[in-house]
Amino acid sequence: MLETHETRSIVDLTRLRAVIEPVARAHGADVVLVELKNENGWVLRITVEKTGTETADLELCANVSRDLSPALDVADMIPQRYSLEVSSPGLDRPLLGEADFVRFSGRKAKIKLRHSAESTQKVFIGEIACTAPGKITVTEGTRTHTLALADIEKARLVFEIEKGTKSHRRKAPEQE
């Protein structure tokens, strides 16, 4: 679970997730990420996806937001004014823990290591695989790197258009 420094100082994310997750589940969604950030005003950003998929449509996000807003008002855990945003994780979704690396094994990701990591290379873009608890491998072309999950600062999937797929235009009716 991603937490910002700002989030930890003002609200208990575990308690906040306890309010958010049942609402999302009622709509057939899983909570991917909860962030509370000051971006020229506080924003509570909830990222959801349909259970068992990697997607969330506008209707799902709107429904979760509509039902979540009054639940958050009743729970009253955030002391200042904030805007609520509910969205999908997107094509370049963040990878937030070992379970995500297992789930998306075989996919291409961009991984940035913490400055304190021993590796001289800090950014990797390649196919990911889990090799052992707490470790992943990243294959960049012919090179394979083993990385400790504890050294990863940030990771995201890389969206790729599949090669060999072409869209075929249909002829206009007057040309048929």
PDB file of all heavy atoms in Angstrom, residues 7 10-11 16 20 33-47 64-66 68-70 72-73 78-87:
ATOM      1  N   THR A   7       0.304  11.683   4.263  1.00  0.00           N
ATOM      2  CA  THR A   7      -0.800  10.831   4.678  1.00  0.00           C
ATOM      3  C   THR A   7      -0.589  10.298   6.087  1.00  0.00           C
ATOM      4  O   THR A   7      -1.483  10.333   6.909  1.00  0.00           O
ATOM      5  CB  THR A   7      -0.943   9.643   3.704  1.00  0.00           C
ATOM      6  OG1 THR A   7      -1.119  10.162   2.394  1.00  0.00           O
ATOM      7  CG2 THR A   7      -2.122   8.782   4.056  1.00  0.00           C
ATOM      8  N   ILE A  10      -1.475  12.607   9.170  1.00  0.00           N
ATOM      9  CA  ILE A  10      -2.796  13.147   9.469  1.00  0.00           C
ATOM     10  C   ILE A  10      -3.929  12.130   9.536  1.00  0.00           C
ATOM     11  O   ILE A  10      -4.976  12.426  10.080  1.00  0.00           O
ATOM     12  CB  ILE A  10      -3.194  14.235   8.461  1.00  0.00           C
ATOM     13  CG1 ILE A  10      -3.267  13.664   7.060  1.00  0.00           C
ATOM     14  CG2 ILE A  10      -2.262  15.417   8.539  1.00  0.00           C
ATOM     15  CD1 ILE A  10      -3.990  14.551   6.099  1.00  0.00           C
ATOM     16  N   VAL A  11      -3.744  10.936   8.983  1.00  0.00           N
ATOM     17  CA  VAL A  11      -4.860   9.997   8.965  1.00  0.00           C
ATOM     18  C   VAL A  11      -4.325   8.559   8.982  1.00  0.00           C
ATOM     19  O   VAL A  11      -3.252   8.276   8.456  1.00  0.00           O
ATOM     20  CB  VAL A  11      -5.761  10.261   7.726  1.00  0.00           C
ATOM     21  CG1 VAL A  11      -5.184   9.652   6.472  1.00  0.00           C
ATOM     22  CG2 VAL A  11      -7.173   9.797   7.940  1.00  0.00           C
ATOM     23  N   LEU A  16      -8.986   4.090   7.260  1.00  0.00           N
ATOM     24  CA  LEU A  16      -9.615   4.679   6.078  1.00  0.00           C
ATOM     25  C   LEU A  16      -9.968   3.586   5.067  1.00  0.00           C
ATOM     26  O   LEU A  16     -11.070   3.570   4.522  1.00  0.00           O
ATOM     27  CB  LEU A  16      -8.664   5.711   5.452  1.00  0.00           C
ATOM     28  CG  LEU A  16      -9.230   6.609   4.369  1.00  0.00           C
ATOM     29  CD1 LEU A  16     -10.433   7.397   4.865  1.00  0.00           C
ATOM     30  CD2 LEU A  16      -8.149   7.559   3.874  1.00  0.00           C
ATOM     31  N   ILE A  20     -13.431   2.340   3.002  1.00  0.00           N
ATOM     32  CA  ILE A  20     -13.464   2.366   1.541  1.00  0.00           C
ATOM     33  C   ILE A  20     -13.717   0.983   0.929  1.00  0.00           C
ATOM     34  O   ILE A  20     -14.532   0.847   0.010  1.00  0.00           O
ATOM     35  CB  ILE A  20     -12.126   2.940   1.003  1.00  0.00           C
ATOM     36  CG1 ILE A  20     -11.973   4.398   1.444  1.00  0.00           C
ATOM     37  CG2 ILE A  20     -12.027   2.803  -0.504  1.00  0.00           C
ATOM     38  CD1 ILE A  20     -10.567   4.958   1.268  1.00  0.00           C
ATOM     39  N   LEU A  33      -5.307   1.360  -4.681  1.00  0.00           N
ATOM     40  CA  LEU A  33      -4.466   2.372  -4.063  1.00  0.00           C
ATOM     41  C   LEU A  33      -5.323   3.400  -3.349  1.00  0.00           C
ATOM     42  O   LEU A  33      -6.396   3.771  -3.826  1.00  0.00           O
ATOM     43  CB  LEU A  33      -3.635   3.065  -5.159  1.00  0.00           C
ATOM     44  CG  LEU A  33      -2.714   4.202  -4.788  1.00  0.00           C
ATOM     45  CD1 LEU A  33      -1.573   3.705  -3.913  1.00  0.00           C
ATOM     46  CD2 LEU A  33      -2.143   4.832  -6.044  1.00  0.00           C
ATOM     47  N   VAL A  34      -4.832   3.857  -2.200  1.00  0.00           N
ATOM     48  CA  VAL A  34      -5.458   4.953  -1.460  1.00  0.00           C
ATOM     49  C   VAL A  34      -4.362   5.966  -1.174  1.00  0.00           C
ATOM     50  O   VAL A  34      -3.342   5.629  -0.586  1.00  0.00           O
ATOM     51  CB  VAL A  34      -6.079   4.472  -0.124  1.00  0.00           C
ATOM     52  CG1 VAL A  34      -6.620   5.654   0.669  1.00  0.00           C
ATOM     53  CG2 VAL A  34      -7.167   3.445  -0.376  1.00  0.00           C
ATOM     54  N   GLU A  35      -4.558   7.191  -1.611  1.00  0.00           N
ATOM     55  CA  GLU A  35      -3.593   8.272  -1.368  1.00  0.00           C
ATOM     56  C   GLU A  35      -4.329   9.498  -0.857  1.00  0.00           C
ATOM     57  O   GLU A  35      -5.410   9.815  -1.337  1.00  0.00           O
ATOM     58  CB  GLU A  35      -2.902   8.703  -2.664  1.00  0.00           C
ATOM     59  CG  GLU A  35      -1.902   7.760  -3.221  1.00  0.00           C
ATOM     60  CD  GLU A  35      -1.265   8.343  -4.471  1.00  0.00           C
ATOM     61  OE1 GLU A  35      -1.985   8.643  -5.435  1.00  0.00           O
ATOM     62  OE2 GLU A  35      -0.038   8.513  -4.451  1.00  0.00           O
ATOM     63  N   LEU A  36      -3.735  10.175   0.073  1.00  0.00           N
ATOM     64  CA  LEU A  36      -4.217  11.474   0.521  1.00  0.00           C
ATOM     65  C   LEU A  36      -3.037  12.415   0.399  1.00  0.00           C
ATOM     66  O   LEU A  36      -2.027  12.240   1.079  1.00  0.00           O
ATOM     67  CB  LEU A  36      -4.716  11.402   1.972  1.00  0.00           C
ATOM     68  CG  LEU A  36      -5.264  12.712   2.543  1.00  0.00           C
ATOM     69  CD1 LEU A  36      -6.481  13.193   1.763  1.00  0.00           C
ATOM     70  CD2 LEU A  36      -5.611  12.538   4.015  1.00  0.00           C
ATOM     71  N   LYS A  37      -3.158  13.374  -0.520  1.00  0.00           N
ATOM     72  CA  LYS A  37      -2.036  14.263  -0.816  1.00  0.00           C
ATOM     73  C   LYS A  37      -2.496  15.711  -0.840  1.00  0.00           C
ATOM     74  O   LYS A  37      -3.630  16.001  -1.219  1.00  0.00           O
ATOM     75  CB  LYS A  37      -1.445  13.930  -2.190  1.00  0.00           C
ATOM     76  CG  LYS A  37      -0.838  12.554  -2.288  1.00  0.00           C
ATOM     77  CD  LYS A  37      -0.403  12.269  -3.691  1.00  0.00           C
ATOM     78  CE  LYS A  37       1.094  12.387  -3.760  1.00  0.00           C
ATOM     79  NZ  LYS A  37       1.627  12.029  -5.079  1.00  0.00           N
ATOM     80  N   ASN A  38      -1.579  16.582  -0.478  1.00  0.00           N
ATOM     81  CA  ASN A  38      -1.842  18.010  -0.588  1.00  0.00           C
ATOM     82  C   ASN A  38      -1.310  18.477  -1.936  1.00  0.00           C
ATOM     83  O   ASN A  38      -0.112  18.526  -2.151  1.00  0.00           O
ATOM     84  CB  ASN A  38      -1.179  18.778   0.556  1.00  0.00           C
ATOM     85  CG  ASN A  38      -1.672  20.204   0.632  1.00  0.00           C
ATOM     86  OD1 ASN A  38      -2.324  20.699  -0.284  1.00  0.00           O
ATOM     87  ND2 ASN A  38      -1.368  20.870   1.725  1.00  0.00           N
ATOM     88  N   GLU A  39      -2.209  18.786  -2.831  1.00  0.00           N
ATOM     89  CA  GLU A  39      -1.884  19.247  -4.179  1.00  0.00           C
ATOM     90  C   GLU A  39      -2.583  20.592  -4.392  1.00  0.00           C
ATOM     91  O   GLU A  39      -3.519  20.688  -5.162  1.00  0.00           O
ATOM     92  CB  GLU A  39      -2.340  18.232  -5.227  1.00  0.00           C
ATOM     93  CG  GLU A  39      -1.705  16.878  -5.085  1.00  0.00           C
ATOM     94  CD  GLU A  39      -2.272  15.840  -6.052  1.00  0.00           C
ATOM     95  OE1 GLU A  39      -3.334  16.085  -6.658  1.00  0.00           O
ATOM     96  OE2 GLU A  39      -1.640  14.784  -6.193  1.00  0.00           O
ATOM     97  N   ASN A  40      -2.135  21.620  -3.658  1.00  0.00           N
ATOM     98  CA  ASN A  40      -2.835  22.911  -3.636  1.00  0.00           C
ATOM     99  C   ASN A  40      -4.262  22.700  -3.158  1.00  0.00           C
ATOM    100  O   ASN A  40      -5.217  23.192  -3.750  1.00  0.00           O
ATOM    101  CB  ASN A  40      -2.806  23.604  -4.999  1.00  0.00           C
ATOM    102  CG  ASN A  40      -1.424  24.027  -5.386  1.00  0.00           C
ATOM    103  OD1 ASN A  40      -0.627  24.418  -4.534  1.00  0.00           O
ATOM    104  ND2 ASN A  40      -1.107  23.928  -6.669  1.00  0.00           N
ATOM    105  N   GLY A  41      -4.411  21.941  -2.137  1.00  0.00           N
ATOM    106  CA  GLY A  41      -5.675  21.491  -1.578  1.00  0.00           C
ATOM    107  C   GLY A  41      -5.592  19.980  -1.456  1.00  0.00           C
ATOM    108  O   GLY A  41      -4.956  19.311  -2.272  1.00  0.00           O
ATOM    109  N   TRP A  42      -6.217  19.426  -0.428  1.00  0.00           N
ATOM    110  CA  TRP A  42      -6.117  17.993  -0.178  1.00  0.00           C
ATOM    111  C   TRP A  42      -6.966  17.193  -1.158  1.00  0.00           C
ATOM    112  O   TRP A  42      -8.087  17.593  -1.492  1.00  0.00           O
ATOM    113  CB  TRP A  42      -6.533  17.679   1.255  1.00  0.00           C
ATOM    114  CG  TRP A  42      -5.499  18.142   2.223  1.00  0.00           C
ATOM    115  CD1 TRP A  42      -5.463  19.344   2.884  1.00  0.00           C
ATOM    116  CD2 TRP A  42      -4.318  17.443   2.604  1.00  0.00           C
ATOM    117  NE1 TRP A  42      -4.338  19.416   3.653  1.00  0.00           N
ATOM    118  CE2 TRP A  42      -3.604  18.261   3.507  1.00  0.00           C
ATOM    119  CE3 TRP A  42      -3.788  16.204   2.284  1.00  0.00           C
ATOM    120  CZ2 TRP A  42      -2.405  17.885   4.078  1.00  0.00           C
ATOM    121  CZ3 TRP A  42      -2.594  15.823   2.860  1.00  0.00           C
ATOM    122  CH2 TRP A  42      -1.915  16.659   3.746  1.00  0.00           C
ATOM    123  N   VAL A  43      -6.396  16.073  -1.619  1.00  0.00           N
ATOM    124  CA  VAL A  43      -7.080  15.177  -2.550  1.00  0.00           C
ATOM    125  C   VAL A  43      -6.994  13.764  -1.986  1.00  0.00           C
ATOM    126  O   VAL A  43      -5.903  13.277  -1.680  1.00  0.00           O
ATOM    127  CB  VAL A  43      -6.426  15.206  -3.953  1.00  0.00           C
ATOM    128  CG1 VAL A  43      -7.107  14.206  -4.884  1.00  0.00           C
ATOM    129  CG2 VAL A  43      -6.464  16.607  -4.548  1.00  0.00           C
ATOM    130  N   LEU A  44      -8.143  13.120  -1.832  1.00  0.00           N
ATOM    131  CA  LEU A  44      -8.194  11.706  -1.472  1.00  0.00           C
ATOM    132  C   LEU A  44      -8.411  10.960  -2.776  1.00  0.00           C
ATOM    133  O   LEU A  44      -9.463  11.071  -3.401  1.00  0.00           O
ATOM    134  CB  LEU A  44      -9.323  11.410  -0.485  1.00  0.00           C
ATOM    135  CG  LEU A  44      -9.528   9.934  -0.129  1.00  0.00           C
ATOM    136  CD1 LEU A  44      -8.263   9.328   0.498  1.00  0.00           C
ATOM    137  CD2 LEU A  44     -10.725   9.772   0.791  1.00  0.00           C
ATOM    138  N   ARG A  45      -7.380  10.247  -3.217  1.00  0.00           N
ATOM    139  CA  ARG A  45      -7.413   9.548  -4.497  1.00  0.00           C
ATOM    140  C   ARG A  45      -7.549   8.047  -4.233  1.00  0.00           C
ATOM    141  O   ARG A  45      -6.692   7.443  -3.605  1.00  0.00           O
ATOM    142  CB  ARG A  45      -6.137   9.844  -5.278  1.00  0.00           C
ATOM    143  CG  ARG A  45      -6.153   9.348  -6.694  1.00  0.00           C
ATOM    144  CD  ARG A  45      -4.990   9.932  -7.491  1.00  0.00           C
ATOM    145  NE  ARG A  45      -5.206  11.362  -7.719  1.00  0.00           N
ATOM    146  CZ  ARG A  45      -4.360  12.316  -7.318  1.00  0.00           C
ATOM    147  NH1 ARG A  45      -3.250  12.021  -6.695  1.00  0.00           N
ATOM    148  NH2 ARG A  45      -4.625  13.586  -7.574  1.00  0.00           N
ATOM    149  N   ILE A  46      -8.638   7.474  -4.729  1.00  0.00           N
ATOM    150  CA  ILE A  46      -8.923   6.054  -4.588  1.00  0.00           C
ATOM    151  C   ILE A  46      -8.845   5.441  -5.983  1.00  0.00           C
ATOM    152  O   ILE A  46      -9.530   5.893  -6.900  1.00  0.00           O
ATOM    153  CB  ILE A  46     -10.348   5.801  -4.028  1.00  0.00           C
ATOM    154  CG1 ILE A  46     -10.668   6.688  -2.831  1.00  0.00           C
ATOM    155  CG2 ILE A  46     -10.559   4.330  -3.752  1.00  0.00           C
ATOM    156  CD1 ILE A  46      -9.829   6.462  -1.628  1.00  0.00           C
ATOM    157  N   THR A  47      -8.023   4.430  -6.130  1.00  0.00           N
ATOM    158  CA  THR A  47      -7.903   3.745  -7.414  1.00  0.00           C
ATOM    159  C   THR A  47      -8.548   2.375  -7.262  1.00  0.00           C
ATOM    160  O   THR A  47      -8.227   1.635  -6.328  1.00  0.00           O
ATOM    161  CB  THR A  47      -6.424   3.601  -7.816  1.00  0.00           C
ATOM    162  OG1 THR A  47      -5.818   4.894  -7.782  1.00  0.00           O
ATOM    163  CG2 THR A  47      -6.277   3.022  -9.199  1.00  0.00           C
ATOM    164  N   VAL A  64     -18.880   4.059  -7.273  1.00  0.00           N
ATOM    165  CA  VAL A  64     -18.099   3.949  -6.035  1.00  0.00           C
ATOM    166  C   VAL A  64     -17.991   5.321  -5.377  1.00  0.00           C
ATOM    167  O   VAL A  64     -18.190   5.469  -4.170  1.00  0.00           O
ATOM    168  CB  VAL A  64     -16.704   3.333  -6.302  1.00  0.00           C
ATOM    169  CG1 VAL A  64     -15.816   3.447  -5.072  1.00  0.00           C
ATOM    170  CG2 VAL A  64     -16.837   1.874  -6.740  1.00  0.00           C
ATOM    171  N   SER A  65     -17.702   6.343  -6.166  1.00  0.00           N
ATOM    172  CA  SER A  65     -17.568   7.702  -5.634  1.00  0.00           C
ATOM    173  C   SER A  65     -18.871   8.171  -4.989  1.00  0.00           C
ATOM    174  O   SER A  65     -18.862   8.720  -3.881  1.00  0.00           O
ATOM    175  CB  SER A  65     -17.164   8.660  -6.758  1.00  0.00           C
ATOM    176  OG  SER A  65     -17.061   9.968  -6.268  1.00  0.00           O
ATOM    177  N   ARG A  66     -19.983   7.927  -5.665  1.00  0.00           N
ATOM    178  CA  ARG A  66     -21.294   8.361  -5.162  1.00  0.00           C
ATOM    179  C   ARG A  66     -21.590   7.738  -3.797  1.00  0.00           C
ATOM    180  O   ARG A  66     -22.055   8.416  -2.883  1.00  0.00           O
ATOM    181  CB  ARG A  66     -22.391   7.978  -6.169  1.00  0.00           C
ATOM    182  CG  ARG A  66     -23.782   8.413  -5.733  1.00  0.00           C
ATOM    183  CD  ARG A  66     -24.898   7.765  -6.537  1.00  0.00           C
ATOM    184  NE  ARG A  66     -24.896   6.326  -6.296  1.00  0.00           N
ATOM    185  CZ  ARG A  66     -24.750   5.391  -7.231  1.00  0.00           C
ATOM    186  NH1 ARG A  66     -24.615   5.729  -8.494  1.00  0.00           N
ATOM    187  NH2 ARG A  66     -24.755   4.107  -6.914  1.00  0.00           N
ATOM    188  N   LEU A  68     -19.313   6.221  -1.759  1.00  0.00           N
ATOM    189  CA  LEU A  68     -18.207   6.398  -0.831  1.00  0.00           C
ATOM    190  C   LEU A  68     -18.249   7.759  -0.142  1.00  0.00           C
ATOM    191  O   LEU A  68     -17.913   7.873   1.042  1.00  0.00           O
ATOM    192  CB  LEU A  68     -16.878   6.223  -1.574  1.00  0.00           C
ATOM    193  CG  LEU A  68     -15.626   6.198  -0.741  1.00  0.00           C
ATOM    194  CD1 LEU A  68     -15.701   5.127   0.337  1.00  0.00           C
ATOM    195  CD2 LEU A  68     -14.425   5.956  -1.644  1.00  0.00           C
ATOM    196  N   SER A  69     -18.680   8.780  -0.840  1.00  0.00           N
ATOM    197  CA  SER A  69     -18.680  10.132  -0.284  1.00  0.00           C
ATOM    198  C   SER A  69     -19.451  10.228   1.038  1.00  0.00           C
ATOM    199  O   SER A  69     -18.911  10.709   2.039  1.00  0.00           O
ATOM    200  CB  SER A  69     -19.225  11.113  -1.310  1.00  0.00           C
ATOM    201  OG  SER A  69     -19.113  12.429  -0.838  1.00  0.00           O
ATOM    202  N   PRO A  70     -20.705   9.747   1.110  1.00  0.00           N
ATOM    203  CA  PRO A  70     -21.408   9.832   2.402  1.00  0.00           C
ATOM    204  C   PRO A  70     -20.785   8.925   3.474  1.00  0.00           C
ATOM    205  O   PRO A  70     -20.786   9.277   4.659  1.00  0.00           O
ATOM    206  CB  PRO A  70     -22.843   9.411   2.083  1.00  0.00           C
ATOM    207  CG  PRO A  70     -22.818   8.781   0.748  1.00  0.00           C
ATOM    208  CD  PRO A  70     -21.590   9.265   0.047  1.00  0.00           C
ATOM    209  N   LEU A  72     -17.614   8.283   3.868  1.00  0.00           N
ATOM    210  CA  LEU A  72     -16.458   9.024   4.389  1.00  0.00           C
ATOM    211  C   LEU A  72     -16.895  10.181   5.277  1.00  0.00           C
ATOM    212  O   LEU A  72     -16.244  10.488   6.279  1.00  0.00           O
ATOM    213  CB  LEU A  72     -15.586   9.530   3.241  1.00  0.00           C
ATOM    214  CG  LEU A  72     -14.824   8.446   2.472  1.00  0.00           C
ATOM    215  CD1 LEU A  72     -14.242   9.018   1.181  1.00  0.00           C
ATOM    216  CD2 LEU A  72     -13.734   7.829   3.333  1.00  0.00           C
ATOM    217  N   ASP A  73     -18.001  10.830   4.901  1.00  0.00           N
ATOM    218  CA  ASP A  73     -18.526  11.923   5.732  1.00  0.00           C
ATOM    219  C   ASP A  73     -18.925  11.413   7.115  1.00  0.00           C
ATOM    220  O   ASP A  73     -18.631  12.038   8.130  1.00  0.00           O
ATOM    221  CB  ASP A  73     -19.727  12.593   5.066  1.00  0.00           C
ATOM    222  CG  ASP A  73     -19.349  13.421   3.848  1.00  0.00           C
ATOM    223  OD1 ASP A  73     -18.144  13.722   3.673  1.00  0.00           O
ATOM    224  OD2 ASP A  73     -20.260  13.746   3.054  1.00  0.00           O
ATOM    225  N   ILE A  78     -10.911  12.385   8.159  1.00  0.00           N
ATOM    226  CA  ILE A  78      -9.991  13.337   7.550  1.00  0.00           C
ATOM    227  C   ILE A  78     -10.361  14.722   8.072  1.00  0.00           C
ATOM    228  O   ILE A  78     -11.451  15.226   7.799  1.00  0.00           O
ATOM    229  CB  ILE A  78     -10.071  13.273   6.008  1.00  0.00           C
ATOM    230  CG1 ILE A  78      -9.767  11.844   5.544  1.00  0.00           C
ATOM    231  CG2 ILE A  78      -9.103  14.274   5.380  1.00  0.00           C
ATOM    232  CD1 ILE A  78     -10.002  11.589   4.080  1.00  0.00           C
ATOM    233  N   PRO A  79      -9.465  15.334   8.869  1.00  0.00           N
ATOM    234  CA  PRO A  79      -9.819  16.568   9.570  1.00  0.00           C
ATOM    235  C   PRO A  79      -9.969  17.810   8.687  1.00  0.00           C
ATOM    236  O   PRO A  79     -10.606  18.757   9.098  1.00  0.00           O
ATOM    237  CB  PRO A  79      -8.673  16.758  10.574  1.00  0.00           C
ATOM    238  CG  PRO A  79      -7.536  15.982  10.033  1.00  0.00           C
ATOM    239  CD  PRO A  79      -8.119  14.865   9.233  1.00  0.00           C
ATOM    240  N   GLN A  80      -9.394  17.819   7.515  1.00  0.00           N
ATOM    241  CA  GLN A  80      -9.479  19.010   6.670  1.00  0.00           C
ATOM    242  C   GLN A  80     -10.342  18.745   5.437  1.00  0.00           C
ATOM    243  O   GLN A  80     -10.668  17.611   5.135  1.00  0.00           O
ATOM    244  CB  GLN A  80      -8.094  19.502   6.252  1.00  0.00           C
ATOM    245  CG  GLN A  80      -7.304  18.563   5.393  1.00  0.00           C
ATOM    246  CD  GLN A  80      -6.616  17.473   6.183  1.00  0.00           C
ATOM    247  OE1 GLN A  80      -6.508  17.530   7.400  1.00  0.00           O
ATOM    248  NE2 GLN A  80      -6.190  16.447   5.501  1.00  0.00           N
ATOM    249  N   ARG A  81     -10.669  19.821   4.734  1.00  0.00           N
ATOM    250  CA  ARG A  81     -11.436  19.695   3.499  1.00  0.00           C
ATOM    251  C   ARG A  81     -10.589  18.975   2.467  1.00  0.00           C
ATOM    252  O   ARG A  81      -9.379  19.155   2.418  1.00  0.00           O
ATOM    253  CB  ARG A  81     -11.839  21.057   2.969  1.00  0.00           C
ATOM    254  CG  ARG A  81     -12.830  21.784   3.870  1.00  0.00           C
ATOM    255  CD  ARG A  81     -13.195  23.150   3.323  1.00  0.00           C
ATOM    256  NE  ARG A  81     -13.699  23.133   1.965  1.00  0.00           N
ATOM    257  CZ  ARG A  81     -14.968  22.871   1.601  1.00  0.00           C
ATOM    258  NH1 ARG A  81     -15.850  22.589   2.537  1.00  0.00           N
ATOM    259  NH2 ARG A  81     -15.338  22.901   0.348  1.00  0.00           N
ATOM    260  N   TYR A  82     -11.248  18.167   1.628  1.00  0.00           N
ATOM    261  CA  TYR A  82     -10.529  17.433   0.585  1.00  0.00           C
ATOM    262  C   TYR A  82     -11.470  17.172  -0.573  1.00  0.00           C
ATOM    263  O   TYR A  82     -12.690  17.229  -0.431  1.00  0.00           O
ATOM    264  CB  TYR A  82      -9.967  16.109   1.123  1.00  0.00           C
ATOM    265  CG  TYR A  82     -11.035  15.137   1.564  1.00  0.00           C
ATOM    266  CD1 TYR A  82     -11.551  14.177   0.680  1.00  0.00           C
ATOM    267  CD2 TYR A  82     -11.559  15.180   2.847  1.00  0.00           C
ATOM    268  CE1 TYR A  82     -12.546  13.308   1.081  1.00  0.00           C
ATOM    269  CE2 TYR A  82     -12.544  14.309   3.249  1.00  0.00           C
ATOM    270  CZ  TYR A  82     -13.036  13.369   2.364  1.00  0.00           C
ATOM    271  OH  TYR A  82     -14.032  12.508   2.759  1.00  0.00           O
ATOM    272  N   SER A  83     -10.892  16.879  -1.716  1.00  0.00           N
ATOM    273  CA  SER A  83     -11.647  16.446  -2.887  1.00  0.00           C
ATOM    274  C   SER A  83     -11.487  14.939  -3.012  1.00  0.00           C
ATOM    275  O   SER A  83     -10.394  14.415  -2.806  1.00  0.00           O
ATOM    276  CB  SER A  83     -11.104  17.104  -4.160  1.00  0.00           C
ATOM    277  OG  SER A  83     -11.255  18.494  -4.095  1.00  0.00           O
ATOM    278  N   LEU A  84     -12.558  14.257  -3.371  1.00  0.00           N
ATOM    279  CA  LEU A  84     -12.526  12.811  -3.564  1.00  0.00           C
ATOM    280  C   LEU A  84     -12.398  12.520  -5.050  1.00  0.00           C
ATOM    281  O   LEU A  84     -13.152  13.044  -5.859  1.00  0.00           O
ATOM    282  CB  LEU A  84     -13.810  12.180  -3.018  1.00  0.00           C
ATOM    283  CG  LEU A  84     -14.004  10.685  -3.270  1.00  0.00           C
ATOM    284  CD1 LEU A  84     -12.907   9.866  -2.583  1.00  0.00           C
ATOM    285  CD2 LEU A  84     -15.389  10.246  -2.799  1.00  0.00           C
ATOM    286  N   GLU A  85     -11.413  11.694  -5.402  1.00  0.00           N
ATOM    287  CA  GLU A  85     -11.239  11.231  -6.779  1.00  0.00           C
ATOM    288  C   GLU A  85     -11.240   9.710  -6.772  1.00  0.00           C
ATOM    289  O   GLU A  85     -10.494   9.100  -6.024  1.00  0.00           O
ATOM    290  CB  GLU A  85      -9.902  11.691  -7.365  1.00  0.00           C
ATOM    291  CG  GLU A  85      -9.794  13.156  -7.625  1.00  0.00           C
ATOM    292  CD  GLU A  85      -8.447  13.546  -8.216  1.00  0.00           C
ATOM    293  OE1 GLU A  85      -7.636  12.633  -8.561  1.00  0.00           O
ATOM    294  OE2 GLU A  85      -8.196  14.738  -8.328  1.00  0.00           O
ATOM    295  N   VAL A  86     -12.068   9.107  -7.613  1.00  0.00           N
ATOM    296  CA  VAL A  86     -12.078   7.658  -7.780  1.00  0.00           C
ATOM    297  C   VAL A  86     -11.765   7.393  -9.239  1.00  0.00           C
ATOM    298  O   VAL A  86     -12.431   7.940 -10.131  1.00  0.00           O
ATOM    299  CB  VAL A  86     -13.434   7.035  -7.390  1.00  0.00           C
ATOM    300  CG1 VAL A  86     -13.423   5.526  -7.626  1.00  0.00           C
ATOM    301  CG2 VAL A  86     -13.775   7.352  -5.938  1.00  0.00           C
ATOM    302  N   SER A  87     -10.723   6.585  -9.492  1.00  0.00           N
ATOM    303  CA  SER A  87     -10.299   6.354 -10.868  1.00  0.00           C
ATOM    304  C   SER A  87      -9.793   4.929 -11.059  1.00  0.00           C
ATOM    305  O   SER A  87      -9.629   4.181 -10.103  1.00  0.00           O
ATOM    306  CB  SER A  87      -9.196   7.354 -11.248  1.00  0.00           C
ATOM    307  OG  SER A  87      -8.057   7.131 -10.440  1.00  0.00           O
TER     308      SER A  87
END
